[in-house]
Amino acid sequence: MSQDERQPPLQQGELLRIEGVRKVFPGVLALDGVDFDLRRGEVHVLLGENGAGKSTLIKMLSGAHRPDGGRILAEGREVRIHGAQDAERLGIATIHQEFNLVPELSVAENIFLGRQPRRFGMIDRRAMEAAAGELLKRVGVDVPPRTKVRELGIARLQMVEIAKALSLDARVLIMDEPTAVLTSEEVDKLFRIVRTLRDDGVGIVFITHHLEEIAALGDRVTVLRDGRSVGQAPATTPEDELVRLMVGRSIEQQYPRERPDPGSPLLRVSGLTRHGVFHDVSFEVRAGEVVGLAGLVGAGRTEVVRAVFGADAYDTGSVEVRGERLARGDVHAAMGAGVGLVPEDRKGQGLVLDASVQENLGLVTLRSAGRCGFVDLKGRRAAAARIAGQLGVRMAGLDQRVRTLSGGNQQKVVIGKWLLADTRVLILDEPTRGIDVGAKVEIYRLINELTASGHAVLMVSSDLPEVLGMSDRVLVMAQGRIAGELPAHEATQDAVMALAVAAPNVQEDVEGSRGH
């Protein structure tokens, strides 16, 4: 039987088909016989862990990579995509996680970059801005076409990228993690636009780590694992089954909890106040426990943990580690006392992206890793190898640039540098944001290993199931204050949200009046 006879016939309305595609990089088989298809007027979700092959596949469709085997068909006709112009000619547009926009140019100039309408040999700005205005109206964004792109927030930048794709008359729109940095309101608006495009007949390839988005937006799901397509399913498939397809095993317990009884307090925060930001914040974290810090966006969680770490100043109150009071606003004092912070923005604040894995792992211990005034390079490399192996960092080697690692492995490196420094109190701010479900479980197991060895963990997370699943106690912040504390057996989503939307000022007044 020939290959053509083995392949299913062209489906009605099919825009794109990928058959048995392979891609090999030096030493790495990135794609191994991947099959995928996209129909007109559907949202087809592409799901998989970091490193599963999703990025390689979409780069192949956008012309950045060429397949080493298999074939790509557009509307039933075999095509070769050798560059961005080929993709554009086929009506394929890609919106990457890192936007392809020029900050100093206007919105209109970005939308029509390289394709500006001309009149008498000159750029016709009036026509360009009028056309841009129509496209912006279509995606529901009220930005004047002359606005500089550098003045826009993330959500509007994304809408400009969509408008740019529509200007190309895109029939296939690839969206790579479009909701990763959006608020819930912005996500709702994006979903409305995606549904409108779907109704207009555009085929959309949607890549996400958020499983709850699949049923809300998708029609079908294709799951990649280790460079292979391992299953296709309707978007209504239960999350447990999608997780099983992604990681190749059943996850009986999403949030494993294997912790000893907590010991004595390692971190004690008393009456911490920064005027206008947070007020009278007090709590403690004991050896061997995870304390979750929950609350709505703007409640002051990140500001509090940065103050505890010494990265930001505070006006009154105190921070003690193992009974010793820390100097205010002194990061080095906090680090010296055994406090580490994994920041919310791991790429901007937690890593040096163009440095190697080894160099990043040694950032905290650089000053202490010397002998007789010289850096002990051999010792640092051995220590970095030990930590990377302990954490299971997937890498080509210690000299690999951190920028090229997956999000989950980057996060392991950020945590690893604090383990190398023998940190006793680890503060995690949004530790699993932007990483896939398999990497999340690995991070959770790492947290359990830390607490089992007597570390204390303070975890800020906007993922409420994560807070409830991993915390021994949950502190809930509202309007810059601690609104309440819940032990694990009392912490439910309803209980946390009831405290998160509370009015601490009113509560304090009531309690104060009772005291008098």
Side-chain angles (χ1 to χ4, degrees):
M1 183 181 292
S2 69
Q3 181 177 355
D4 287 342
E5 290 173 326
R6 289 197 306 270
Q7 298 301 338
L10 178 70
Q11 298 292 315
Q12 184 175 5
E14 186 173 276
L15 292 171
L16 194 66
R17 176 176 289 274
I18 294 169
E19 296 177 348
V21 162
R22 281 174 54 89
K23 182 62 185 177
V24 181
F25 297 106
V28 178
L29 179 59
L31 295 177
D32 185 14
V34 170
D35 297 316
F36 178 83
D37 67 279
L38 179 69
R39 299 168 191 162
R40 193 182 312 277
E42 78 161 347
V43 177
H44 195 148
V45 178
L46 191 60
L47 191 63
E49 296 187 74
N50 287 325
K54 304 187 302 295
S55 294
T56 303
L57 185 60
I58 65 173
K59 285 179 180 177
M60 198 170 290
L61 292 174
S62 62
H65 295 326
R66 299 182 188 181
D68 297 317
R71 61 179 189 165
I72 300 173
L73 298 94
E75 300 188 46
R77 179 173 56 89
E78 186 169 354
V79 296
R80 287 175 171 77
I81 307 175
H82 293 163
Q85 288 185 335
D86 288 342
E88 180 181 322
R89 177 175 48 81
L90 293 168
I92 301 171
T94 303
I95 300 176
H96 297 280
Q97 289 187 56
E98 296 181 2
F99 300 136
N100 188 25
L101 299 171
V102 182
E104 296 305 318
L105 296 182
S106 72
V107 169
E109 288 169 328
N110 270 279
I111 290 175
F112 291 102
L113 189 62
R115 302 173 292 110
Q116 299 94 330
R118 293 181 177 272
R119 187 181 184 191
F120 305 123
M122 304 289 289
I123 293 176
D124 188 344
R125 292 193 173 274
R126 179 177 295 180
M128 179 175 68
E129 290 170 3
E134 289 300 316
L135 290 166
L136 292 168
K137 186 184 299 183
R138 185 177 172 189
V139 298
V141 60
D142 57 346
V143 174
R146 294 185 181 183
T147 305
K148 299 288 187 185
V149 159
R150 59 177 162 76
E151 299 174 14
L152 303 181
I154 293 293
R156 287 185 170 183
L157 289 175
Q158 198 160 64
M159 299 310 170
V160 171
E161 283 276 23
I162 295 174
K164 182 177 176 181
L166 296 180
S167 76
L168 297 167
D169 193 26
R171 298 184 294 283
V172 174
L173 180 60
I174 303 169
M175 306 184 77
D176 188 5
E177 294 285 353
T179 65
V181 292
L182 300 184
T183 66
S184 58
E185 292 82 5
E186 291 166 344
V187 169
D188 289 342
K189 183 175 182 180
L190 175 66
F191 280 14
R192 287 195 297 272
I193 292 167
V194 171
R195 291 184 186 109
T196 298
L197 295 175
R198 176 177 61 186
D199 293 344
D200 288 344
V202 177
I204 297 162
V205 181
F206 196 90
I207 299 173
T208 182
H209 283 140
H210 301 291
L211 298 182
E212 70 276 5
E213 294 179 354
I214 296 172
L217 188 67
D219 296 297
R220 288 188 293 157
V221 184
T222 289
V223 181
L224 298 186
R225 184 173 77 239
D226 298 329
R228 298 180 178 90
S229 44
V230 295
Q232 188 180 105
T236 53
T237 302
E239 290 185 8
D240 289 349
E241 175 63 14
L242 293 176
V243 169
R244 188 191 66 77
L245 287 169
M246 286 174 63
V247 302
R249 64 185 186 277
S250 297
I251 298 180
E252 299 296 333
Q253 190 176 17
Q254 177 77 16
Y255 305 102
R257 297 178 64 183
E258 305 162 0
R259 301 195 197 109
D261 292 333
S264 58
L266 293 184
L267 173 67
R268 179 175 283 120
V269 176
S270 304
L272 211 64
T273 298
R274 180 180 172 190
H275 299 315
V277 181
F278 51 82
H279 182 76
D280 196 26
V281 173
S282 300
F283 61 87
E284 64 180 30
V285 187
R286 294 172 287 179
E289 77 169 344
V290 176
V291 172
L293 195 56
L296 302 177
V297 174
R301 298 166 302 165
T302 292
E303 291 79 1
V304 165
V305 298
R306 284 180 57 84
V308 169
F309 183 62
D312 292 339
Y314 54 91
D315 298 306
T316 58
S318 64
V319 177
E320 295 179 7
V321 177
R322 289 185 280 194
E324 297 292 327
R325 185 165 179 167
L326 297 186
R328 186 184 309 176
D330 189 337
V331 169
H332 293 298
M335 290 167 55
V339 181
L341 171 66
V342 175
E344 181 180 18
D345 178 8
R346 64 172 171 265
K347 290 186 177 181
Q349 300 174 4
L351 296 166
V352 179
L353 292 175
D354 287 320
S356 69
V357 171
Q358 177 184 327
E359 289 166 332
N360 273 276
L361 285 171
L363 285 175
V364 178
T365 56
L366 182 60
R367 293 192 303 171
S368 60
R371 293 186 300 182
C372 304
F374 296 95
V375 176
D376 181 8
L377 295 178
K378 186 176 180 180
R380 288 187 68 202
R381 190 170 185 86
R386 174 176 56 81
I387 289 293
Q390 178 185 332
L391 299 183
V393 177
R394 297 173 189 169
M395 58 183 180
L398 289 172
D399 296 322
Q400 183 176 352
R401 286 196 307 169
V402 162
R403 181 186 296 279
T404 63
L405 297 180
S406 68
N409 285 298
Q410 287 180 348
Q411 191 73 319
K412 290 179 185 177
V413 172
V414 180
I415 295 172
K417 72 180 182 182
W418 293 114
L419 299 188
L420 203 55
D422 194 28
T423 298
R424 304 306 299 171
V425 178
L426 188 60
I427 303 171
L428 304 172
D429 193 356
E430 304 289 0
T432 65
R433 174 174 288 172
I435 65 178
D436 61 67
V437 66
K440 283 183 179 182
V441 173
E442 292 180 3
I443 296 295
Y444 299 151
R445 293 194 185 283
L446 173 59
I447 292 172
N448 281 338
E449 290 174 9
L450 291 173
T451 53
S453 60
H455 292 71
V457 175
L458 176 62
M459 183 177 73
V460 176
S461 178
S462 298
D463 184 341
L464 195 47
E466 176 175 272
V467 172
L468 300 178
M470 289 302 297
S471 302
D472 297 294
R473 291 182 291 124
V474 179
L475 304 172
V476 185
M477 288 194 68
Q479 300 178 31
R481 299 172 185 253
I482 299 292
E485 177 181 324
L486 298 167
H489 67 276
E490 294 180 10
T492 64
Q493 294 201 28
D494 289 345
V496 170
M497 289 308 298
L499 289 169
V501 299
N505 292 329
V506 175
Q507 289 182 345
E508 182 187 40
D509 291 342
V510 171
E511 292 169 1
S513 64
R514 287 174 182 165
H516 293 300

